[in-house]
């Protein structure tokens, strides 16, 4: 039994030595101790500093209830908010009242939470006195492009003007137009509207306005290509479109290019191929496999067609007759598997 107890005691001491640096195990005095990414400090009496602010090596530090040194964080003590830097030392920035604070060429903003505790804005965008501002690591961002939401997997971009206010709505930066949400987040792979909502635009992944053909599947959630066409000024087009000598049709309901489908337009039915162009000549339906004959003015219905020396017949639904007999105008005709008239 004594041997077992001795073994357990030795094992405990070994694990303790592995978890905490040897210097800490020996109750270091006036020394910093690192354990993983955490830092601790033992005073002259060998006591671990914790749960408060302490003056160490010429600077103020804050240690939590477990003795871990705070860093790159703001801490409220006795009604005053203190900002501690990356190395843990107090930056000299503190306040007991809400408002703007300027120290060392950097600007911060303090406010009060619902519990009445004062704190600094850290990451993200915030509305102050009717204007939108962005902060990153507690510092006010100004004059340029930033991503203040550092905790997000795919943080949005904002643009801070020279006076630090954020761009919102339609904004021209350089030669390009961008659209920003009310919180300052730049639209990317998103729809934007203009002219009282009567015009629709698409903002690409880099935030600029799409022109010409654009696949918008990232915005619509489509499993396949979702092509739209935008004019030179970025307005989404609908209806008939002639581009590169070919005709396309953009669904008036949503602007989506019609492709690989039959579509009724002004009481005429048209066939569009996989590229969205009006089909010319024979066209096979991608789902049913039926054949139609497509021309510039639509598909043929209830009519004979001579092609390559053979005769074919397009029924009242536009489908080519094939592999059987049909009575047309009181006469019975037989068609082969290819649709060509046999007799």
């Amino acid at each position: 039994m004594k041997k077992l107890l001795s073994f357990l005691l030795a094992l405990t001491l070994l694990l303790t030595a592995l978890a905490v640096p040897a210097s800490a195990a020996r109750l270091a005095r006036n020394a910093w101790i690192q354990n993983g990414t955490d830092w601790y400090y033992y005073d002259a009496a060998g006591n671990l500093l914790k749960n408060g602010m302490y003056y160490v090596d010429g600077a103020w530090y804050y240690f939590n209830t477990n003795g871990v040194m705070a860093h790159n964080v703001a801490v409220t003590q006795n009604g005053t908010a203190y900002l501690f830097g990356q190395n843990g030392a107090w930056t000299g920035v503190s306040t007991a009242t809400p408002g703007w604070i300027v120290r060392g060429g950097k600007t911060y903003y303090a406010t009060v939470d619902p519990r009445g505790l004062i704190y600094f804005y850290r990451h993200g965008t915030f509305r102050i006195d009717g204007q939108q501002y962005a902060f990153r690591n507690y510092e006010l961002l100004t004059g340029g492009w930033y991503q203040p939401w550092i905790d997000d997997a795919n943080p949005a971009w904002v643009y801070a003007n020279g006076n630090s206010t954020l761009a919102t709505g339609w904004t021209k930066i350089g030669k390009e137009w961008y659209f920003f949400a009310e919180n300052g987040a730049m639209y990317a792979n998103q729809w934007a509207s203009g002219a009282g909502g009567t015009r629709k635009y698409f903002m690409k992944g880099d935030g600029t306005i799409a022109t010409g053909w654009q696949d918008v599947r990232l915005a619509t959630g489509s499993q396949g290509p979702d092509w739209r066409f935008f004019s030179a000024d970025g307005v989404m087009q609908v209806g008939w479109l002639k581009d590169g000598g070919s005709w396309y049709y953009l669904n008036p309901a949503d602007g989506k290019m019609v492709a690989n489908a039959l579509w009724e337009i002004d009481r005429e039915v048209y066939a569009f191929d996989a590229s969205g162009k009006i089909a010319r000549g024979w066209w096979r339906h991608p789902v049913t496999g039926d054949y139609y004959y497509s021309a510039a003015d639509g598909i043929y219905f209830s009519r004979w067609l001579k092609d390559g020396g053979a005769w074919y017949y397009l029924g009242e639904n536009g489908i080519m007759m094939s592999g059987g007999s049909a009575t047309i105008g009181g006469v019975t005709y037989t068609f082969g598997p290819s649709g060509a008239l046999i007799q």
Side-chain angles (χ1 to χ4, degrees), residues 170 191-195 197-203 209-213 228-238 241 250 255:
W170 286 106
W191 296 101
S193 61
T198 61
R199 296 180 179 179
K200 198 170 185 178
Y201 303 83
F202 185 75
M203 316 312 291
I209 295 179
T211 58
W213 289 107
R228 315 294 173 100
F229 189 86
F230 301 86
S231 63
D233 59 357
V235 179
M236 187 183 74
Q237 304 298 290
V238 296
L241 170 74
L250 309 169

Side-chain angles (χ1 to χ4, degrees), residues 25 34-35 41 104 112 178 180 190 207-208 244 247 258 295 304 322 326:
Q34 185 177 12
N35 183 15
Y41 190 82
V112 178
Y178 300 84
F180 298 88
Q190 292 173 273
T208 57
W247 283 97
V258 177
W304 287 98
S322 65

Side-chain angles (χ1 to χ4, degrees), residues 106-261:
K106 298 177 181 179
T107 303
Y108 311 85
Y109 190 83
T111 188
V112 178
D113 70 11
R115 299 168 298 172
L117 297 178
I118 193 165
Y119 69 100
F120 290 101
Y121 284 150
R122 187 175 188 180
H123 306 309
T125 66
F126 304 89
R127 197 160 191 82
I128 304 171
D129 298 330
Q131 297 289 339
Q132 204 72 21
Y133 297 89
F135 295 81
R136 185 183 174 98
N137 291 327
Y138 299 102
E139 297 176 17
L140 176 69
L141 305 178
T142 186
W145 289 98
Y146 300 95
Q147 290 175 293
W149 294 280
I150 64 173
D151 297 326
D152 292 354
N154 187 26
W157 287 91
V158 301
Y159 185 81
N161 298 303
N163 64 355
S164 299
T165 59
L166 296 185
T168 57
W170 286 106
T171 304
K172 190 174 185 180
I173 302 172
K175 296 181 179 180
E176 301 287 350
W177 281 95
Y178 300 84
F179 190 82
F180 298 88
E182 289 186 1
N183 69 347
M186 181 193 78
Y187 272 36
N189 287 318
Q190 292 173 273
W191 296 101
S193 61
T198 61
R199 296 180 179 179
K200 198 170 185 178
Y201 303 83
F202 185 75
M203 316 312 291
K204 297 185 294 184
D206 63 358
T208 57
I209 295 179
T211 58
W213 289 107
Q214 183 72 32
D215 185 352
V216 300
R217 73 179 81 181
L218 290 178
T220 62
S222 175
Q223 296 301 307
D226 189 347
W227 290 99
R228 315 294 173 100
F229 189 86
F230 301 86
S231 63
D233 59 357
V235 179
M236 187 183 74
Q237 304 298 290
V238 296
W240 285 109
L241 170 74
K242 189 174 185 180
D243 182 55
S246 299
W247 283 97
Y248 301 81
Y249 191 73
L250 309 169
N251 188 349
D254 57 12
K256 185 174 182 177
M257 180 191 77
V258 177
N260 245 357

Side-chain angles (χ1 to χ4, degrees), residues 14-46:
L14 176 61
L15 293 175
T16 302
L18 291 173
V20 180
S23 57
R26 293 195 299 267
L27 293 178
R29 299 172 185 273
N30 292 327
W32 288 98
I33 302 298
Q34 185 177 12
N35 183 15
T37 59
D38 296 330
W39 284 91
Y40 305 81
Y41 190 82
Y42 289 84
D43 65 14

